[in-house]
Amino acid sequence: MISGPPRGMRDFYPEDVRLRNWLFGLWREVSESFGFQEYDGPVVESEELYIRKSGEEIVGQLYNFEDKGGRRLALRPEMTPTLARMIIARGSSLPKPIKWFSIPQCFRYERMSKGRRREHYQWNLDIVGAEEPTAEAEVIAAAIEFLKRVGLTRDDVVVLLSNRRLLSALLKSKGLPQEKFPDVCLVIDKKGKVSDADLHAMLVDIGLSEAMIANLFDVLRIESLDDAERVLKTAGAPLAPLDETRKVLECLSHFGLAQFCRFDISIVRGLLYYTGPVFEFFDADRKFRAICGGGRYDNLLESYGGERVSAVGLGFGDVVVTEVLADKGLLPDFSSGLDYAVIPFSEEQRKVATEIAQSLRSQGRTVTMSLETKKLRKSLSDADRAGAAKVIIVAPDELAAAKVVLRDMKSGEERAIPIADLCAP
Ligand code: HAM
């Protein structure tokens, strides 16, 4: 017997769809309020769009297959490659900066854990063609705006921010060969998710010496941008990545959001296309996985054959934020609701009952109607389960006087009212 969806895939019962619509509605509202335009693309893409550097977890998690024409395809695990492909296809005809958002359904063959499904929806906000840190601030500010609208405050959420260029400069100053940097990022992304001993073993696996590993852990102990500055200055390294990181924080302070944000050198992100500032949002108690993450990716479009264009974006999944909101008791009541249930007393009153229901619907009311006549008590309990606020009982005695019985389901109060009062002329 088939009893559930494939492992990690999700059924959405009506109450789940109500929650999803609420979430998507707010994501759309916030995106549009910041001037982002919605776009969409196919759920199925060419596999080659995602085959980048081995070692990226996402590549090993592809749902990939061959279609009947022998093409290698994959369900999209993320939206950024599709965005890049679509922007390249339009070339320079798109005025920059491009500010687009989408809410794609993404698929990753993940090891199942809290906050991780094999299917999730992900709000994407991207700005393409903006070089300045104002772009990072803008996408981060929009995500925080959403969090505020659902009732989360800076006591609940923290934005941890770093910069790959800064980490690279710090590690270079400690002797890390540049070609090792991508592999090192993928390992550092595991910090906090695996033990330090496992982290150490992974660093040995990618060929780092014990001395280099010790230096790397020293860098990871850097707690502030001022500390980072001291290390760079001692090594005589350029300070540009530091300034860039400070500017992102400064721009966020213009939004009045500096209090949400904190520098954290260990934030690198698990995707290799990021080139500059990177960030992740977490619940303040760190009970859950990252709520959202993103950063600057200056080379992705060029790597697909497009022009070199600077881009910044973030992905914000539906799973973790729902868990956080449930934990804090901030999810609204998603039980069903209807304005009216119309109950014909017998089949003889069905025509009039149908006309009343249709008239109310044409006035924008939400209305259900008994599809068969049953004992009144049974019909009333059906109406209650359907979430009707009021019930209209179309019964012969009242109908003779062109009236129906209106019952308030909360108070139980009943009164006869003229049909003309309910129906639009
Ligand atoms: P990502 O960090 O892989 O980034 O995913 C972004 C967010 O999607 C995560 O923080 C999490 O909320 C959610 N997410 C990812 N995988 C799962 C999963 N298996 N189950 C539930 N939620 C998940 C990206 O995908 C980038 N493309 C984001 C981006 C857009 N960067 C620039 N623009």
Side-chain angles (χ1 to χ4, degrees):
M1 192 183 77
I2 298 176
S3 57
R7 190 167 159 73
M9 300 295 163
R10 302 155 76 191
D11 288 327
F12 286 84
Y13 286 90
E15 60 276 18
D16 306 318
V17 172
R18 282 194 285 276
L19 189 160
R20 192 174 72 183
N21 288 345
W22 169 78
L23 199 62
F24 287 15
L26 283 167
W27 279 344
R28 288 204 165 91
E29 217 174 271
V30 171
S31 306
E32 284 162 7
S33 78
F34 277 74
F36 287 80
Q37 297 185 71
E38 187 162 6
Y39 71 100
D40 203 359
V43 173
V44 176
E45 284 277 16
S46 287
E47 184 188 54
E48 65 174 335
L49 199 61
Y50 306 111
I51 307 297
R52 294 182 296 250
K53 163 111 166 56
S54 60
E56 262 190 327
E57 209 168 25
I58 205 165
V59 177
Q61 293 171 335
L62 279 183
Y63 274 90
N64 43 4
F65 56 97
E66 199 167 285
D67 76 0
K68 291 185 170 52
R71 295 171 200 89
R72 294 295 309 166
L73 300 173
L75 298 185
R76 64 181 169 207
E78 56 161 337
M79 197 61 174
T80 319
T82 300
L83 170 84
R85 183 180 61 63
M86 287 171 66
I87 288 179
I88 291 168
R90 285 271 172 103
S92 51
S93 68
L94 292 169
K96 304 216 174 40
I98 298 160
K99 290 175 69 176
W100 283 4
F101 82 95
S102 65
I103 311 177
Q105 189 176 18
C106 300
F107 298 85
R108 299 182 187 183
Y109 195 85
E110 293 258 9
R111 191 193 296 267
M112 296 279 291
S113 62
K114 200 165 142 197
R116 279 292 177 271
R117 298 277 174 283
R118 292 187 176 162
E119 174 208 333
H120 73 283
Y121 288 91
Q122 195 190 93
W123 179 31
N124 276 243
L125 279 176
D126 288 270
I127 306 184
V128 179
E131 306 263 347
E132 294 302 314
T134 43
E136 276 88 350
E138 179 118 337
V139 293
I140 293 173
I144 295 179
E145 177 60 29
F146 163 80
L147 294 171
K148 285 181 172 174
R149 287 193 193 187
V150 294
L152 292 166
T153 67
R154 65 190 168 89
D155 294 333
D156 303 311
V157 182
V158 58
V159 180
L160 301 181
L161 192 132
S162 187
N163 188 332
R164 281 221 181 145
R165 281 191 268 268
L166 175 61
L167 182 67
S168 170
L170 288 165
L171 291 174
K172 194 174 163 201
S173 78
K174 298 277 183 184
L176 181 81
Q178 283 303 89
E179 71 275 9
K180 291 277 181 212
F181 184 65
D183 287 340
V184 165
C185 284
L186 294 176
V187 176
I188 297 180
D189 183 56
K190 293 276 165 282
K191 190 172 182 296
K193 297 169 195 155
V194 300
S195 68
D196 275 3
D198 285 348
L199 211 62
H200 185 279
M202 290 159 92
L203 292 167
V204 171
D205 275 356
I206 60 168
L208 296 201
S209 66
E210 285 301 331
M212 190 58 234
I213 294 173
N215 284 345
L216 187 144
F217 275 106
D218 278 348
V219 166
L220 291 181
R221 275 189 281 272
I222 290 178
E223 283 190 347
S224 69
L225 286 168
D226 291 345
D227 286 352
E229 183 170 353
R230 273 189 282 280
V231 175
L232 290 180
K233 275 188 171 159
T234 309
L239 299 181
L242 201 70
D243 297 340
E244 185 184 38
T245 317
R246 286 202 170 111
K247 271 195 200 147
V248 176
L249 289 166
E250 189 188 322
C251 293
L252 281 161
S253 74
H254 298 158
F255 284 90
L257 297 174
Q259 306 280 23
F260 272 91
C261 309
R262 215 174 62 218
F263 170 68
D264 185 327
I265 192 71
S266 68
I267 296 298
V268 284
R269 313 274 298 124
L271 293 159
L272 285 177
Y273 50 68
Y274 295 111
T275 51
V278 280
F279 51 85
E280 287 184 346
F281 289 37
F282 287 94
D283 63 296
D285 305 331
R286 295 298 290 264
K287 286 205 291 196
F288 300 91
R289 298 186 65 132
I291 296 172
C292 110
R296 183 168 286 272
Y297 51 102
D298 286 345
N299 305 333
L300 186 66
L301 275 76
E302 194 180 21
S303 76
Y304 287 135
E307 57 175 319
R308 193 186 143 78
V309 54
S310 203
V312 169
L314 63 78
F316 191 132
D318 64 331
V319 178
V320 178
V321 76
T322 304
E323 289 176 353
V324 172
L325 291 173
D327 183 59
K328 302 212 174 275
L330 286 172
L331 282 177
D333 176 14
F334 290 108
S335 49
S336 66
L338 280 170
D339 296 325
Y340 294 101
V342 181
I343 303 174
F345 189 77
S346 77
E347 285 309 308
E348 265 172 56
Q349 288 82 43
R350 181 163 298 277
K351 181 167 181 295
V352 179
T354 306
E355 286 164 359
I356 293 171
Q358 286 295 80
S359 171
L360 288 167
R361 286 169 184 149
S362 74
Q363 296 169 62
R365 307 276 180 239
T366 51
V367 184
T368 187
M369 200 174 95
S370 312
L371 297 175
E372 55 187 273
T373 40
K374 302 177 180 170
K375 287 215 163 61
L376 186 58
R377 197 165 39 82
K378 179 80 181 68
S379 294
L380 282 173
S381 97
D382 287 351
D384 194 40
R385 270 189 283 123
K390 292 191 167 72
V391 164
I392 294 165
I393 303 160
V394 187
D397 290 351
E398 286 78 14
L399 203 53
K403 288 184 175 179
V404 289
V405 175
L406 185 69
R407 180 187 171 91
D408 185 295
M409 293 300 275
K410 210 166 179 190
S411 63
E413 184 201 323
E414 283 187 3
R415 64 197 166 95
I417 62 160
I419 295 174
D421 288 1
L422 286 172
C423 295

